[in-house]
Amino acid sequence: GRGVGRSVVFRSVNETNGAHMNSLQVSLDRVITTRQDTGRMNSDHTPQPASADPVHPGPASAGQLSVSLVTVRFLRMLSITLEQLDAVRDANDRAEFAGLTARAEKLEAETDALEREIEDLCLHAFAAGLTEQELAFHLMVFRSLTNLERVGDYAFTVARDLETFAPRARSATLQDVLPLVRLLSEMLE
């Protein structure tokens, strides 16, 4: 259905950027180390721009690299959460719930790992010194993590409960869950 295409797109983005993630992380670590070693800060304690020449820009700042890393990881986390909700909807549409808990559990574990990774990236970025826009971006992501993770937890709980109770519940009772799943999906999209 609709969710499969979206998940494939986000997986493709993640896989395409996967090779770049390690190099971005190494670059971010180098910029942070260089900035700490050389103290590249303006007198007002804001980061000194990498280059004033827009045609021949210098190396990316720690904030720019962090924005790239956080963006890719956050999109993957969002994709996984939507995939969890789509799995619940799909299982209900097919009226086949076997294996739903295992699938949701695997996705939930990946979401939890990404949440911790993104939190660490944001905290490192805060320590590295950011421009006002980079700070606003990192704060927005940092504040959104808990809510996104809660949606994933909710999707996991619903998946587990559907697999456990669906064989014994009436169809009308199961239909009560779907409006909430649809609403959460729309909010995330």
Side-chain angles (χ1 to χ4, degrees):
R2 188 180 67 148
V4 172
R6 181 179 46 244
S7 296
V8 168
V9 168
F10 281 120
R11 273 196 206 120
S12 176
V13 167
N14 193 46
E15 289 166 5
T16 301
N17 289 325
H20 301 291
M21 291 305 296
N22 289 337
S23 64
L24 283 171
Q25 183 64 51
V26 168
S27 297
L28 176 61
D29 292 340
R30 283 184 189 146
V31 170
I32 291 170
T33 302
T34 301
R35 185 155 291 156
Q36 289 170 345
D37 292 344
T38 61
R40 292 185 51 191
M41 302 293 267
N42 292 324
S43 60
D44 63 350
H45 301 287
T46 59
Q48 184 179 13
S51 173
D53 182 2
V55 176
H56 304 329
S61 71
Q64 292 166 336
L65 291 170
S66 181
V67 166
S68 295
L69 282 168
V70 169
T71 298
V72 170
R73 290 302 193 214
F74 190 79
L75 286 175
R76 179 63 185 142
M77 187 173 172
L78 180 62
S79 172
I80 293 168
T81 304
L82 287 168
E83 189 175 342
Q84 286 177 297
L85 293 169
D86 286 341
V88 169
R89 227 183 344 218
D90 183 52
N92 186 68
D93 290 346
R94 292 181 294 114
E96 190 174 310
F97 303 99
L100 185 58
T101 301
R103 181 175 176 202
E105 190 171 34
K106 179 182 173 210
L107 294 170
E108 180 60 20
E110 190 174 349
T111 301
D112 290 342
L114 282 167
E115 179 189 24
R116 287 187 300 275
E117 184 179 348
I118 294 168
E119 283 178 352
D120 288 346
L121 286 169
C122 287
L123 293 173
H124 284 285
F126 295 146
L130 301 169
T131 66
E132 187 175 324
Q133 291 172 333
E134 293 164 348
L135 178 62
F137 170 80
H138 283 85
L139 284 172
M140 183 267 315
V141 169
F142 195 76
R143 289 178 180 166
S144 300
L145 283 175
T146 302
N147 292 327
L148 186 56
E149 206 276 328
R150 282 183 189 153
V151 172
D153 286 346
Y154 175 77
F156 170 72
T157 302
V158 169
R160 183 191 64 213
D161 291 350
L162 279 176
E163 185 173 1
T164 302
F165 300 117
R168 294 176 284 199
R170 292 188 331 232
S171 179
T173 304
L174 296 176
Q175 297 306 311
D176 291 342
V177 172
L178 291 182
L180 292 173
V181 170
R182 278 191 205 102
L183 178 63
L184 287 170
S185 296
E186 289 170 11
M187 290 170 62
L188 290 176
E189 291 172 349

